[in-house]
Amino acid sequence: MIDDRGQTTLDFAIGTSVFLVTVAFVVAFVPGIFQPFADGPQEELASVDRIADTIVHDLLDGGDDTTALDRECTIYLFNDTDTDPDTCPFDDADPLAEQVGLTERHHVNVTVVGGDPNGDSPNPVCTDGENVFVSESDDCTSGVALDAGEPLPDSGASVIGRRIVHVDGTIATIIVRMW
């Protein structure tokens, strides 16, 4: 009779081991299945590209050339002027985040720079209300910098998107930062 129950302990150990391995697999891999639907850097990467495209191709579209910006709308968006060109597809009274379709929990800054956008210190692109030009120094002493949105945080991670554009005869880079 003792021979009939000899494998019960071994069967229990194998069954418990299979159960524990299954539980460990579920705990380790199931959260990763739902990660594409959770907030994170992937969402911001897609959003920053969408925002850059919206600014270049929808808000500031200059016509036939896909990288040319409308000079008047560019000055209107970044300069906070009272003159509202009828041809611009946005209202500068609205915050930039609202114009590009962001929720309240997202923050965005758009800056236009000249020179090498990957260099150490690209010069800002400025406007005097009539013309757009690249500053000779690291600030806009004779105009207003083309910079919109919230001020950049001192620390923390941000996601960056860039678009090379032409505006008023100037080659520039639009840098979109989102955090």
Side-chain angles (χ1 to χ4, degrees):
M1 281 213 186
I2 294 179
D3 292 338
D4 292 341
R5 299 181 48 93
Q7 282 189 310
T8 303
T9 306
L10 186 58
D11 290 340
F12 178 76
I14 291 173
T16 302
S17 298
V18 169
F19 175 76
L20 291 175
V21 168
T22 304
V23 168
F25 176 81
V26 169
V27 168
F29 293 106
V30 169
I33 294 171
F34 297 109
Q35 185 160 6
F37 305 108
D39 294 340
Q42 294 297 336
E43 175 189 336
E44 290 177 353
L45 283 172
S47 295
V48 79
D49 279 334
R50 181 189 57 80
I51 291 167
D53 286 341
T54 298
I55 290 170
V56 172
H57 299 297
D58 296 338
L59 297 181
L60 304 177
D61 186 21
D64 297 334
D65 186 1
T66 58
T67 62
L69 304 183
D70 182 90
R71 183 181 58 81
E72 289 180 0
C73 290
T74 301
I75 292 171
Y76 178 58
L77 178 68
F78 292 103
N79 195 16
D80 295 330
T81 61
D82 294 333
T83 308
D84 179 7
D86 295 331
T87 59
C88 297
F90 60 89
D91 182 5
D92 194 38
D94 297 332
L96 180 64
E98 186 176 316
Q99 292 176 29
V100 295
L102 287 178
T103 61
E104 293 177 8
R105 62 186 179 90
H106 290 105
H107 308 281
V108 67
N109 177 280
V110 179
T111 305
V112 184
V113 297
D116 183 10
N118 295 319
D120 291 335
S121 58
N123 291 342
V125 174
C126 309
T127 181
D128 58 7
E130 296 292 322
N131 300 308
V132 176
F133 56 92
V134 178
S135 175
E136 296 293 325
S137 63
D138 60 352
D139 61 354
C140 289
T141 56
S142 61
V144 176
L146 299 185
D147 185 8
E150 298 182 37
L152 295 172
D154 293 333
S155 63
S158 64
V159 179
I160 299 174
R162 293 180 175 91
R163 298 293 183 271
I164 306 295
V165 296
H166 297 86
V167 58
D168 199 16
T170 302
I171 296 175
T173 302
I174 291 183
I175 301 174
V176 179
R177 291 179 181 92
M178 191 173 153
W179 64 95

